[in-house]
Amino acid sequence: MLQQDSNDDIEDVSLFDAEEETTSRPKKSKIRHPVASFFHLFFRVSAIIVYLLCELFSSSFIACMVTIILLLSCDFWAVKNVTGRLMVGLRWWNHIDEDGKSHWVFESRKASPQDSKTVSEAESRIFWLGLIACPVLWVVFAFSALFSLRVKWLAVVIMGVVLQGANLYGYIRCKVGSRKNLTSMATSYLGKQFLRQVSVFWM
């Protein structure tokens, strides 16, 4: 399906024909991609732990900030390009065509009679729990830093909100891409601007 607005083209397409071979595998509650599941949580949880505890172990704000931003950047790349595809069969990305026009693409595996067999329930729960819970924590940290006047930490916390919020928005669009009418045009526009700035800065 191809959806257009005044600024971007947005496509909802099927994810890699090669992935279709996974439909023959039975759906199980066990974790089928343990390494992907581990790193889906490792970087984002590590960033939160470092943020909460770094002042206890180091007096250097710069060292703490760099460590947190590196963890957040690794998490952004891993979740956007690897864990979403393996764990839930979703991926979002952006490309520029020959005319210089930006295209946002939200990918998911094709629906099929065997579709319910392609994703592990355990992995799906891990993926969405980590994807939703961590950005919520960063929002809490942002308000905490603001109200406690920890100005130097505010930029770090905002980086956490932006990077993890971008992945959350992108995967929600993948999940409900064909039901875009549930989202207002204003929200869609702001979301695309948000993703554009993050992708240009970090990719």
mmCIF file with all atom_site columns, all heavy atoms in Angstrom, residues 43-57 63-69 71 138 150 153 156:
data_model
loop_
_atom_site.group_PDB
_atom_site.id
_atom_site.type_symbol
_atom_site.label_atom_id
_atom_site.label_alt_id
_atom_site.label_comp_id
_atom_site.label_asym_id
_atom_site.label_entity_id
_atom_site.label_seq_id
_atom_site.pdbx_PDB_ins_code
_atom_site.Cartn_x
_atom_site.Cartn_y
_atom_site.Cartn_z
_atom_site.occupancy
_atom_site.B_iso_or_equiv
_atom_site.pdbx_formal_charge
_atom_site.auth_seq_id
_atom_site.auth_comp_id
_atom_site.auth_asym_id
_atom_site.auth_atom_id
_atom_site.pdbx_PDB_model_num
ATOM 1   N N   . PHE A 1 43  ? 21.520 -2.859 25.716 1.00 0.00 ? 43  PHE A N   1
ATOM 2   C CA  . PHE A 1 43  ? 21.985 -1.492 25.545 1.00 0.00 ? 43  PHE A CA  1
ATOM 3   C C   . PHE A 1 43  ? 21.079 -0.495 26.245 1.00 0.00 ? 43  PHE A C   1
ATOM 4   O O   . PHE A 1 43  ? 21.544 0.432  26.929 1.00 0.00 ? 43  PHE A O   1
ATOM 5   C CB  . PHE A 1 43  ? 22.106 -1.139 24.056 1.00 0.00 ? 43  PHE A CB  1
ATOM 6   C CG  . PHE A 1 43  ? 23.205 -1.866 23.346 1.00 0.00 ? 43  PHE A CG  1
ATOM 7   C CD1 . PHE A 1 43  ? 22.932 -2.677 22.251 1.00 0.00 ? 43  PHE A CD1 1
ATOM 8   C CD2 . PHE A 1 43  ? 24.524 -1.744 23.757 1.00 0.00 ? 43  PHE A CD2 1
ATOM 9   C CE1 . PHE A 1 43  ? 23.943 -3.348 21.588 1.00 0.00 ? 43  PHE A CE1 1
ATOM 10  C CE2 . PHE A 1 43  ? 25.551 -2.411 23.089 1.00 0.00 ? 43  PHE A CE2 1
ATOM 11  C CZ  . PHE A 1 43  ? 25.253 -3.218 22.010 1.00 0.00 ? 43  PHE A CZ  1
ATOM 12  N N   . ARG A 1 44  ? 19.758 -0.660 26.107 1.00 0.00 ? 44  ARG A N   1
ATOM 13  C CA  . ARG A 1 44  ? 18.850 0.328  26.696 1.00 0.00 ? 44  ARG A CA  1
ATOM 14  C C   . ARG A 1 44  ? 18.812 0.231  28.210 1.00 0.00 ? 44  ARG A C   1
ATOM 15  O O   . ARG A 1 44  ? 18.765 1.259  28.901 1.00 0.00 ? 44  ARG A O   1
ATOM 16  C CB  . ARG A 1 44  ? 17.457 0.225  26.084 1.00 0.00 ? 44  ARG A CB  1
ATOM 17  C CG  . ARG A 1 44  ? 16.801 -1.125 26.129 1.00 0.00 ? 44  ARG A CG  1
ATOM 18  C CD  . ARG A 1 44  ? 15.465 -1.096 25.379 1.00 0.00 ? 44  ARG A CD  1
ATOM 19  N NE  . ARG A 1 44  ? 15.597 -0.482 24.076 1.00 0.00 ? 44  ARG A NE  1
ATOM 20  C CZ  . ARG A 1 44  ? 14.646 0.268  23.516 1.00 0.00 ? 44  ARG A CZ  1
ATOM 21  N NH1 . ARG A 1 44  ? 13.500 0.448  24.125 1.00 0.00 ? 44  ARG A NH1 1
ATOM 22  N NH2 . ARG A 1 44  ? 14.841 0.814  22.329 1.00 0.00 ? 44  ARG A NH2 1
ATOM 23  N N   . VAL A 1 45  ? 18.850 -0.987 28.750 1.00 0.00 ? 45  VAL A N   1
ATOM 24  C CA  . VAL A 1 45  ? 18.881 -1.136 30.202 1.00 0.00 ? 45  VAL A CA  1
ATOM 25  C C   . VAL A 1 45  ? 20.221 -0.655 30.758 1.00 0.00 ? 45  VAL A C   1
ATOM 26  O O   . VAL A 1 45  ? 20.274 -0.002 31.812 1.00 0.00 ? 45  VAL A O   1
ATOM 27  C CB  . VAL A 1 45  ? 18.603 -2.599 30.597 1.00 0.00 ? 45  VAL A CB  1
ATOM 28  C CG1 . VAL A 1 45  ? 18.825 -2.799 32.097 1.00 0.00 ? 45  VAL A CG1 1
ATOM 29  C CG2 . VAL A 1 45  ? 17.180 -2.988 30.221 1.00 0.00 ? 45  VAL A CG2 1
ATOM 30  N N   . SER A 1 46  ? 21.307 -0.931 30.047 1.00 0.00 ? 46  SER A N   1
ATOM 31  C CA  . SER A 1 46  ? 22.629 -0.474 30.487 1.00 0.00 ? 46  SER A CA  1
ATOM 32  C C   . SER A 1 46  ? 22.696 1.043  30.533 1.00 0.00 ? 46  SER A C   1
ATOM 33  O O   . SER A 1 46  ? 23.274 1.620  31.464 1.00 0.00 ? 46  SER A O   1
ATOM 34  C CB  . SER A 1 46  ? 23.713 -1.019 29.556 1.00 0.00 ? 46  SER A CB  1
ATOM 35  O OG  . SER A 1 46  ? 23.778 -2.426 29.617 1.00 0.00 ? 46  SER A OG  1
ATOM 36  N N   . ALA A 1 47  ? 22.120 1.711  29.542 1.00 0.00 ? 47  ALA A N   1
ATOM 37  C CA  . ALA A 1 47  ? 22.112 3.173  29.533 1.00 0.00 ? 47  ALA A CA  1
ATOM 38  C C   . ALA A 1 47  ? 21.378 3.728  30.748 1.00 0.00 ? 47  ALA A C   1
ATOM 39  O O   . ALA A 1 47  ? 21.820 4.707  31.369 1.00 0.00 ? 47  ALA A O   1
ATOM 40  C CB  . ALA A 1 47  ? 21.468 3.684  28.245 1.00 0.00 ? 47  ALA A CB  1
ATOM 41  N N   . ILE A 1 48  ? 20.265 3.104  31.110 1.00 0.00 ? 48  ILE A N   1
ATOM 42  C CA  . ILE A 1 48  ? 19.500 3.552  32.278 1.00 0.00 ? 48  ILE A CA  1
ATOM 43  C C   . ILE A 1 48  ? 20.291 3.311  33.561 1.00 0.00 ? 48  ILE A C   1
ATOM 44  O O   . ILE A 1 48  ? 20.347 4.185  34.453 1.00 0.00 ? 48  ILE A O   1
ATOM 45  C CB  . ILE A 1 48  ? 18.140 2.829  32.329 1.00 0.00 ? 48  ILE A CB  1
ATOM 46  C CG1 . ILE A 1 48  ? 17.252 3.319  31.178 1.00 0.00 ? 48  ILE A CG1 1
ATOM 47  C CG2 . ILE A 1 48  ? 17.451 3.055  33.671 1.00 0.00 ? 48  ILE A CG2 1
ATOM 48  C CD1 . ILE A 1 48  ? 15.961 2.558  31.025 1.00 0.00 ? 48  ILE A CD1 1
ATOM 49  N N   . ILE A 1 49  ? 20.922 2.139  33.672 1.00 0.00 ? 49  ILE A N   1
ATOM 50  C CA  . ILE A 1 49  ? 21.707 1.829  34.872 1.00 0.00 ? 49  ILE A CA  1
ATOM 51  C C   . ILE A 1 49  ? 22.879 2.793  35.021 1.00 0.00 ? 49  ILE A C   1
ATOM 52  O O   . ILE A 1 49  ? 23.159 3.303  36.116 1.00 0.00 ? 49  ILE A O   1
ATOM 53  C CB  . ILE A 1 49  ? 22.196 0.374  34.829 1.00 0.00 ? 49  ILE A CB  1
ATOM 54  C CG1 . ILE A 1 49  ? 21.006 -0.584 34.967 1.00 0.00 ? 49  ILE A CG1 1
ATOM 55  C CG2 . ILE A 1 49  ? 23.218 0.113  35.941 1.00 0.00 ? 49  ILE A CG2 1
ATOM 56  C CD1 . ILE A 1 49  ? 21.368 -2.040 34.785 1.00 0.00 ? 49  ILE A CD1 1
ATOM 57  N N   . VAL A 1 50  ? 23.574 3.062  33.912 1.00 0.00 ? 50  VAL A N   1
ATOM 58  C CA  . VAL A 1 50  ? 24.699 4.003  33.960 1.00 0.00 ? 50  VAL A CA  1
ATOM 59  C C   . VAL A 1 50  ? 24.212 5.385  34.370 1.00 0.00 ? 50  VAL A C   1
ATOM 60  O O   . VAL A 1 50  ? 24.854 6.071  35.181 1.00 0.00 ? 50  VAL A O   1
ATOM 61  C CB  . VAL A 1 50  ? 25.417 4.060  32.598 1.00 0.00 ? 50  VAL A CB  1
ATOM 62  C CG1 . VAL A 1 50  ? 26.445 5.191  32.579 1.00 0.00 ? 50  VAL A CG1 1
ATOM 63  C CG2 . VAL A 1 50  ? 26.107 2.732  32.309 1.00 0.00 ? 50  VAL A CG2 1
ATOM 64  N N   . TYR A 1 51  ? 23.079 5.816  33.836 1.00 0.00 ? 51  TYR A N   1
ATOM 65  C CA  . TYR A 1 51  ? 22.532 7.135  34.197 1.00 0.00 ? 51  TYR A CA  1
ATOM 66  C C   . TYR A 1 51  ? 22.236 7.216  35.693 1.00 0.00 ? 51  TYR A C   1
ATOM 67  O O   . TYR A 1 51  ? 22.517 8.233  36.343 1.00 0.00 ? 51  TYR A O   1
ATOM 68  C CB  . TYR A 1 51  ? 21.262 7.409  33.398 1.00 0.00 ? 51  TYR A CB  1
ATOM 69  C CG  . TYR A 1 51  ? 20.549 8.671  33.829 1.00 0.00 ? 51  TYR A CG  1
ATOM 70  C CD1 . TYR A 1 51  ? 21.029 9.921  33.454 1.00 0.00 ? 51  TYR A CD1 1
ATOM 71  C CD2 . TYR A 1 51  ? 19.404 8.606  34.620 1.00 0.00 ? 51  TYR A CD2 1
ATOM 72  C CE1 . TYR A 1 51  ? 20.384 11.077 33.865 1.00 0.00 ? 51  TYR A CE1 1
ATOM 73  C CE2 . TYR A 1 51  ? 18.756 9.752  35.029 1.00 0.00 ? 51  TYR A CE2 1
ATOM 74  C CZ  . TYR A 1 51  ? 19.246 10.983 34.653 1.00 0.00 ? 51  TYR A CZ  1
ATOM 75  O OH  . TYR A 1 51  ? 18.603 12.130 35.064 1.00 0.00 ? 51  TYR A OH  1
ATOM 76  N N   . LEU A 1 52  ? 21.674 6.156  36.240 1.00 0.00 ? 52  LEU A N   1
ATOM 77  C CA  . LEU A 1 52  ? 21.278 6.167  37.652 1.00 0.00 ? 52  LEU A CA  1
ATOM 78  C C   . LEU A 1 52  ? 22.464 6.048  38.607 1.00 0.00 ? 52  LEU A C   1
ATOM 79  O O   . LEU A 1 52  ? 22.442 6.621  39.712 1.00 0.00 ? 52  LEU A O   1
ATOM 80  C CB  . LEU A 1 52  ? 20.296 5.032  37.924 1.00 0.00 ? 52  LEU A CB  1
ATOM 81  C CG  . LEU A 1 52  ? 18.911 5.152  37.266 1.00 0.00 ? 52  LEU A CG  1
ATOM 82  C CD1 . LEU A 1 52  ? 18.106 3.882  37.501 1.00 0.00 ? 52  LEU A CD1 1
ATOM 83  C CD2 . LEU A 1 52  ? 18.164 6.369  37.794 1.00 0.00 ? 52  LEU A CD2 1
ATOM 84  N N   . LEU A 1 53  ? 23.518 5.318  38.196 1.00 0.00 ? 53  LEU A N   1
ATOM 85  C CA  . LEU A 1 53  ? 24.594 4.990  39.119 1.00 0.00 ? 53  LEU A CA  1
ATOM 86  C C   . LEU A 1 53  ? 25.930 5.649  38.822 1.00 0.00 ? 53  LEU A C   1
ATOM 87  O O   . LEU A 1 53  ? 26.854 5.532  39.634 1.00 0.00 ? 53  LEU A O   1
ATOM 88  C CB  . LEU A 1 53  ? 24.794 3.465  39.158 1.00 0.00 ? 53  LEU A CB  1
ATOM 89  C CG  . LEU A 1 53  ? 23.582 2.614  39.554 1.00 0.00 ? 53  LEU A CG  1
ATOM 90  C CD1 . LEU A 1 53  ? 23.945 1.135  39.520 1.00 0.00 ? 53  LEU A CD1 1
ATOM 91  C CD2 . LEU A 1 53  ? 23.061 3.010  40.925 1.00 0.00 ? 53  LEU A CD2 1
ATOM 92  N N   . CYS A 1 54  ? 26.053 6.304  37.667 1.00 0.00 ? 54  CYS A N   1
ATOM 93  C CA  . CYS A 1 54  ? 27.389 6.764  37.261 1.00 0.00 ? 54  CYS A CA  1
ATOM 94  C C   . CYS A 1 54  ? 28.006 7.744  38.255 1.00 0.00 ? 54  CYS A C   1
ATOM 95  O O   . CYS A 1 54  ? 29.220 7.732  38.471 1.00 0.00 ? 54  CYS A O   1
ATOM 96  C CB  . CYS A 1 54  ? 27.346 7.367  35.862 1.00 0.00 ? 54  CYS A CB  1
ATOM 97  S SG  . CYS A 1 54  ? 26.359 8.862  35.739 1.00 0.00 ? 54  CYS A SG  1
ATOM 98  N N   . GLU A 1 55  ? 27.186 8.589  38.881 1.00 0.00 ? 55  GLU A N   1
ATOM 99  C CA  . GLU A 1 55  ? 27.744 9.567  39.814 1.00 0.00 ? 55  GLU A CA  1
ATOM 100 C C   . GLU A 1 55  ? 28.293 8.913  41.074 1.00 0.00 ? 55  GLU A C   1
ATOM 101 O O   . GLU A 1 55  ? 29.072 9.525  41.807 1.00 0.00 ? 55  GLU A O   1
ATOM 102 C CB  . GLU A 1 55  ? 26.686 10.605 40.171 1.00 0.00 ? 55  GLU A CB  1
ATOM 103 C CG  . GLU A 1 55  ? 26.343 11.532 39.013 1.00 0.00 ? 55  GLU A CG  1
ATOM 104 C CD  . GLU A 1 55  ? 25.378 12.630 39.410 1.00 0.00 ? 55  GLU A CD  1
ATOM 105 O OE1 . GLU A 1 55  ? 24.460 12.341 40.210 1.00 0.00 ? 55  GLU A OE1 1
ATOM 106 O OE2 . GLU A 1 55  ? 25.538 13.763 38.938 1.00 0.00 ? 55  GLU A OE2 1
ATOM 107 N N   . LEU A 1 56  ? 27.880 7.678  41.343 1.00 0.00 ? 56  LEU A N   1
ATOM 108 C CA  . LEU A 1 56  ? 28.407 6.957  42.501 1.00 0.00 ? 56  LEU A CA  1
ATOM 109 C C   . LEU A 1 56  ? 29.793 6.396  42.240 1.00 0.00 ? 56  LEU A C   1
ATOM 110 O O   . LEU A 1 56  ? 30.569 6.167  43.177 1.00 0.00 ? 56  LEU A O   1
ATOM 111 C CB  . LEU A 1 56  ? 27.462 5.810  42.883 1.00 0.00 ? 56  LEU A CB  1
ATOM 112 C CG  . LEU A 1 56  ? 26.044 6.200  43.294 1.00 0.00 ? 56  LEU A CG  1
ATOM 113 C CD1 . LEU A 1 56  ? 25.220 4.948  43.579 1.00 0.00 ? 56  LEU A CD1 1
ATOM 114 C CD2 . LEU A 1 56  ? 26.064 7.117  44.513 1.00 0.00 ? 56  LEU A CD2 1
ATOM 115 N N   . PHE A 1 57  ? 30.111 6.154  40.961 1.00 0.00 ? 57  PHE A N   1
ATOM 116 C CA  . PHE A 1 57  ? 31.371 5.497  40.611 1.00 0.00 ? 57  PHE A CA  1
ATOM 117 C C   . PHE A 1 57  ? 32.346 6.416  39.877 1.00 0.00 ? 57  PHE A C   1
ATOM 118 O O   . PHE A 1 57  ? 33.513 6.077  39.728 1.00 0.00 ? 57  PHE A O   1
ATOM 119 C CB  . PHE A 1 57  ? 31.103 4.267  39.748 1.00 0.00 ? 57  PHE A CB  1
ATOM 120 C CG  . PHE A 1 57  ? 30.265 3.227  40.431 1.00 0.00 ? 57  PHE A CG  1
ATOM 121 C CD1 . PHE A 1 57  ? 28.915 3.120  40.161 1.00 0.00 ? 57  PHE A CD1 1
ATOM 122 C CD2 . PHE A 1 57  ? 30.826 2.374  41.368 1.00 0.00 ? 57  PHE A CD2 1
ATOM 123 C CE1 . PHE A 1 57  ? 28.134 2.169  40.801 1.00 0.00 ? 57  PHE A CE1 1
ATOM 124 C CE2 . PHE A 1 57  ? 30.051 1.418  42.009 1.00 0.00 ? 57  PHE A CE2 1
ATOM 125 C CZ  . PHE A 1 57  ? 28.706 1.319  41.736 1.00 0.00 ? 57  PHE A CZ  1
ATOM 126 N N   . ALA A 1 63  ? 32.674 11.635 31.019 1.00 0.00 ? 63  ALA A N   1
ATOM 127 C CA  . ALA A 1 63  ? 32.799 10.186 30.836 1.00 0.00 ? 63  ALA A CA  1
ATOM 128 C C   . ALA A 1 63  ? 31.433 9.518  30.933 1.00 0.00 ? 63  ALA A C   1
ATOM 129 O O   . ALA A 1 63  ? 31.102 8.631  30.137 1.00 0.00 ? 63  ALA A O   1
ATOM 130 C CB  . ALA A 1 63  ? 33.750 9.606  31.871 1.00 0.00 ? 63  ALA A CB  1
ATOM 131 N N   . CYS A 1 64  ? 30.632 9.954  31.890 1.00 0.00 ? 64  CYS A N   1
ATOM 132 C CA  . CYS A 1 64  ? 29.283 9.385  32.039 1.00 0.00 ? 64  CYS A CA  1
ATOM 133 C C   . CYS A 1 64  ? 28.423 9.698  30.827 1.00 0.00 ? 64  CYS A C   1
ATOM 134 O O   . CYS A 1 64  ? 27.721 8.824  30.298 1.00 0.00 ? 64  CYS A O   1
ATOM 135 C CB  . CYS A 1 64  ? 28.630 9.933  33.301 1.00 0.00 ? 64  CYS A CB  1
ATOM 136 S SG  . CYS A 1 64  ? 29.433 9.433  34.843 1.00 0.00 ? 64  CYS A SG  1
ATOM 137 N N   . MET A 1 65  ? 28.472 10.952 30.382 1.00 0.00 ? 65  MET A N   1
ATOM 138 C CA  . MET A 1 65  ? 27.658 11.369 29.250 1.00 0.00 ? 65  MET A CA  1
ATOM 139 C C   . MET A 1 65  ? 28.025 10.603 27.983 1.00 0.00 ? 65  MET A C   1
ATOM 140 O O   . MET A 1 65  ? 27.144 10.109 27.267 1.00 0.00 ? 65  MET A O   1
ATOM 141 C CB  . MET A 1 65  ? 27.818 12.873 29.001 1.00 0.00 ? 65  MET A CB  1
ATOM 142 C CG  . MET A 1 65  ? 27.015 13.396 27.821 1.00 0.00 ? 65  MET A CG  1
ATOM 143 S SD  . MET A 1 65  ? 27.351 15.133 27.463 1.00 0.00 ? 65  MET A SD  1
ATOM 144 C CE  . MET A 1 65  ? 29.044 15.020 26.870 1.00 0.00 ? 65  MET A CE  1
ATOM 145 N N   . VAL A 1 66  ? 29.313 10.471 27.711 1.00 0.00 ? 66  VAL A N   1
ATOM 146 C CA  . VAL A 1 66  ? 29.768 9.760  26.514 1.00 0.00 ? 66  VAL A CA  1
ATOM 147 C C   . VAL A 1 66  ? 29.348 8.300  26.571 1.00 0.00 ? 66  VAL A C   1
ATOM 148 O O   . VAL A 1 66  ? 28.889 7.724  25.574 1.00 0.00 ? 66  VAL A O   1
ATOM 149 C CB  . VAL A 1 66  ? 31.297 9.886  26.348 1.00 0.00 ? 66  VAL A CB  1
ATOM 150 C CG1 . VAL A 1 66  ? 31.798 8.949  25.261 1.00 0.00 ? 66  VAL A CG1 1
ATOM 151 C CG2 . VAL A 1 66  ? 31.675 11.326 26.033 1.00 0.00 ? 66  VAL A CG2 1
ATOM 152 N N   . THR A 1 67  ? 29.485 7.675  27.734 1.00 0.00 ? 67  THR A N   1
ATOM 153 C CA  . THR A 1 67  ? 29.094 6.268  27.884 1.00 0.00 ? 67  THR A CA  1
ATOM 154 C C   . THR A 1 67  ? 27.603 6.078  27.615 1.00 0.00 ? 67  THR A C   1
ATOM 155 O O   . THR A 1 67  ? 27.194 5.159  26.891 1.00 0.00 ? 67  THR A O   1
ATOM 156 C CB  . THR A 1 67  ? 29.426 5.768  29.294 1.00 0.00 ? 67  THR A CB  1
ATOM 157 O OG1 . THR A 1 67  ? 30.828 5.905  29.533 1.00 0.00 ? 67  THR A OG1 1
ATOM 158 C CG2 . THR A 1 67  ? 29.027 4.307  29.462 1.00 0.00 ? 67  THR A CG2 1
ATOM 159 N N   . ILE A 1 68  ? 26.784 6.949  28.183 1.00 0.00 ? 68  ILE A N   1
ATOM 160 C CA  . ILE A 1 68  ? 25.336 6.844  27.998 1.00 0.00 ? 68  ILE A CA  1
ATOM 161 C C   . ILE A 1 68  ? 24.952 7.060  26.540 1.00 0.00 ? 68  ILE A C   1
ATOM 162 O O   . ILE A 1 68  ? 24.138 6.312  25.981 1.00 0.00 ? 68  ILE A O   1
ATOM 163 C CB  . ILE A 1 68  ? 24.602 7.860  28.905 1.00 0.00 ? 68  ILE A CB  1
ATOM 164 C CG1 . ILE A 1 68  ? 24.798 7.480  30.374 1.00 0.00 ? 68  ILE A CG1 1
ATOM 165 C CG2 . ILE A 1 68  ? 23.108 7.902  28.572 1.00 0.00 ? 68  ILE A CG2 1
ATOM 166 C CD1 . ILE A 1 68  ? 24.320 8.548  31.348 1.00 0.00 ? 68  ILE A CD1 1
ATOM 167 N N   . ILE A 1 69  ? 25.535 8.060  25.905 1.00 0.00 ? 69  ILE A N   1
ATOM 168 C CA  . ILE A 1 69  ? 25.196 8.345  24.505 1.00 0.00 ? 69  ILE A CA  1
ATOM 169 C C   . ILE A 1 69  ? 25.647 7.205  23.590 1.00 0.00 ? 69  ILE A C   1
ATOM 170 O O   . ILE A 1 69  ? 24.942 6.837  22.639 1.00 0.00 ? 69  ILE A O   1
ATOM 171 C CB  . ILE A 1 69  ? 25.813 9.687  24.066 1.00 0.00 ? 69  ILE A CB  1
ATOM 172 C CG1 . ILE A 1 69  ? 25.101 10.832 24.794 1.00 0.00 ? 69  ILE A CG1 1
ATOM 173 C CG2 . ILE A 1 69  ? 25.700 9.875  22.552 1.00 0.00 ? 69  ILE A CG2 1
ATOM 174 C CD1 . ILE A 1 69  ? 25.657 12.204 24.483 1.00 0.00 ? 69  ILE A CD1 1
ATOM 175 N N   . LEU A 1 71  ? 25.843 4.023  24.450 1.00 0.00 ? 71  LEU A N   1
ATOM 176 C CA  . LEU A 1 71  ? 24.883 2.936  24.677 1.00 0.00 ? 71  LEU A CA  1
ATOM 177 C C   . LEU A 1 71  ? 23.559 3.215  23.980 1.00 0.00 ? 71  LEU A C   1
ATOM 178 O O   . LEU A 1 71  ? 22.960 2.324  23.371 1.00 0.00 ? 71  LEU A O   1
ATOM 179 C CB  . LEU A 1 71  ? 24.672 2.740  26.179 1.00 0.00 ? 71  LEU A CB  1
ATOM 180 C CG  . LEU A 1 71  ? 25.838 2.115  26.956 1.00 0.00 ? 71  LEU A CG  1
ATOM 181 C CD1 . LEU A 1 71  ? 25.602 2.222  28.455 1.00 0.00 ? 71  LEU A CD1 1
ATOM 182 C CD2 . LEU A 1 71  ? 26.037 0.662  26.547 1.00 0.00 ? 71  LEU A CD2 1
ATOM 183 N N   . TRP A 1 138 ? 12.748 7.262  30.440 1.00 0.00 ? 138 TRP A N   1
ATOM 184 C CA  . TRP A 1 138 ? 13.513 8.453  30.065 1.00 0.00 ? 138 TRP A CA  1
ATOM 185 C C   . TRP A 1 138 ? 12.672 9.720  30.172 1.00 0.00 ? 138 TRP A C   1
ATOM 186 O O   . TRP A 1 138 ? 13.183 10.791 30.516 1.00 0.00 ? 138 TRP A O   1
ATOM 187 C CB  . TRP A 1 138 ? 14.085 8.302  28.657 1.00 0.00 ? 138 TRP A CB  1
ATOM 188 C CG  . TRP A 1 138 ? 15.280 7.398  28.601 1.00 0.00 ? 138 TRP A CG  1
ATOM 189 C CD1 . TRP A 1 138 ? 15.358 6.163  28.040 1.00 0.00 ? 138 TRP A CD1 1
ATOM 190 C CD2 . TRP A 1 138 ? 16.578 7.655  29.148 1.00 0.00 ? 138 TRP A CD2 1
ATOM 191 N NE1 . TRP A 1 138 ? 16.614 5.626  28.203 1.00 0.00 ? 138 TRP A NE1 1
ATOM 192 C CE2 . TRP A 1 138 ? 17.389 6.522  28.874 1.00 0.00 ? 138 TRP A CE2 1
ATOM 193 C CE3 . TRP A 1 138 ? 17.143 8.725  29.837 1.00 0.00 ? 138 TRP A CE3 1
ATOM 194 C CZ2 . TRP A 1 138 ? 18.717 6.445  29.272 1.00 0.00 ? 138 TRP A CZ2 1
ATOM 195 C CZ3 . TRP A 1 138 ? 18.474 8.643  30.235 1.00 0.00 ? 138 TRP A CZ3 1
ATOM 196 C CH2 . TRP A 1 138 ? 19.244 7.518  29.952 1.00 0.00 ? 138 TRP A CH2 1
ATOM 197 N N   . ARG A 1 150 ? 18.794 19.812 37.467 1.00 0.00 ? 150 ARG A N   1
ATOM 198 C CA  . ARG A 1 150 ? 20.035 19.150 37.028 1.00 0.00 ? 150 ARG A CA  1
ATOM 199 C C   . ARG A 1 150 ? 20.202 19.427 35.529 1.00 0.00 ? 150 ARG A C   1
ATOM 200 O O   . ARG A 1 150 ? 20.084 18.546 34.690 1.00 0.00 ? 150 ARG A O   1
ATOM 201 C CB  . ARG A 1 150 ? 19.969 17.663 37.315 1.00 0.00 ? 150 ARG A CB  1
ATOM 202 C CG  . ARG A 1 150 ? 19.787 17.326 38.780 1.00 0.00 ? 150 ARG A CG  1
ATOM 203 C CD  . ARG A 1 150 ? 19.589 15.845 38.983 1.00 0.00 ? 150 ARG A CD  1
ATOM 204 N NE  . ARG A 1 150 ? 20.798 15.084 38.674 1.00 0.00 ? 150 ARG A NE  1
ATOM 205 C CZ  . ARG A 1 150 ? 20.798 13.796 38.365 1.00 0.00 ? 150 ARG A CZ  1
ATOM 206 N NH1 . ARG A 1 150 ? 19.659 13.134 38.283 1.00 0.00 ? 150 ARG A NH1 1
ATOM 207 N NH2 . ARG A 1 150 ? 21.929 13.175 38.104 1.00 0.00 ? 150 ARG A NH2 1
ATOM 208 N N   . TRP A 1 153 ? 22.382 17.384 33.041 1.00 0.00 ? 153 TRP A N   1
ATOM 209 C CA  . TRP A 1 153 ? 21.904 16.056 32.665 1.00 0.00 ? 153 TRP A CA  1
ATOM 210 C C   . TRP A 1 153 ? 20.710 16.101 31.730 1.00 0.00 ? 153 TRP A C   1
ATOM 211 O O   . TRP A 1 153 ? 20.342 15.079 31.143 1.00 0.00 ? 153 TRP A O   1
ATOM 212 C CB  . TRP A 1 153 ? 21.535 15.256 33.920 1.00 0.00 ? 153 TRP A CB  1
ATOM 213 C CG  . TRP A 1 153 ? 22.716 14.781 34.688 1.00 0.00 ? 153 TRP A CG  1
ATOM 214 C CD1 . TRP A 1 153 ? 23.214 15.303 35.844 1.00 0.00 ? 153 TRP A CD1 1
ATOM 215 C CD2 . TRP A 1 153 ? 23.579 13.703 34.344 1.00 0.00 ? 153 TRP A CD2 1
ATOM 216 N NE1 . TRP A 1 153 ? 24.328 14.617 36.239 1.00 0.00 ? 153 TRP A NE1 1
ATOM 217 C CE2 . TRP A 1 153 ? 24.571 13.615 35.343 1.00 0.00 ? 153 TRP A CE2 1
ATOM 218 C CE3 . TRP A 1 153 ? 23.608 12.789 33.289 1.00 0.00 ? 153 TRP A CE3 1
ATOM 219 C CZ2 . TRP A 1 153 ? 25.576 12.663 35.320 1.00 0.00 ? 153 TRP A CZ2 1
ATOM 220 C CZ3 . TRP A 1 153 ? 24.599 11.833 33.265 1.00 0.00 ? 153 TRP A CZ3 1
ATOM 221 C CH2 . TRP A 1 153 ? 25.578 11.774 34.263 1.00 0.00 ? 153 TRP A CH2 1
ATOM 222 N N   . VAL A 1 156 ? 21.373 14.942 28.136 1.00 0.00 ? 156 VAL A N   1
ATOM 223 C CA  . VAL A 1 156 ? 21.562 13.496 28.040 1.00 0.00 ? 156 VAL A CA  1
ATOM 224 C C   . VAL A 1 156 ? 20.216 12.787 28.081 1.00 0.00 ? 156 VAL A C   1
ATOM 225 O O   . VAL A 1 156 ? 19.950 11.863 27.297 1.00 0.00 ? 156 VAL A O   1
ATOM 226 C CB  . VAL A 1 156 ? 22.464 12.999 29.184 1.00 0.00 ? 156 VAL A CB  1
ATOM 227 C CG1 . VAL A 1 156 ? 22.612 11.481 29.127 1.00 0.00 ? 156 VAL A CG1 1
ATOM 228 C CG2 . VAL A 1 156 ? 23.830 13.662 29.109 1.00 0.00 ? 156 VAL A CG2 1
#
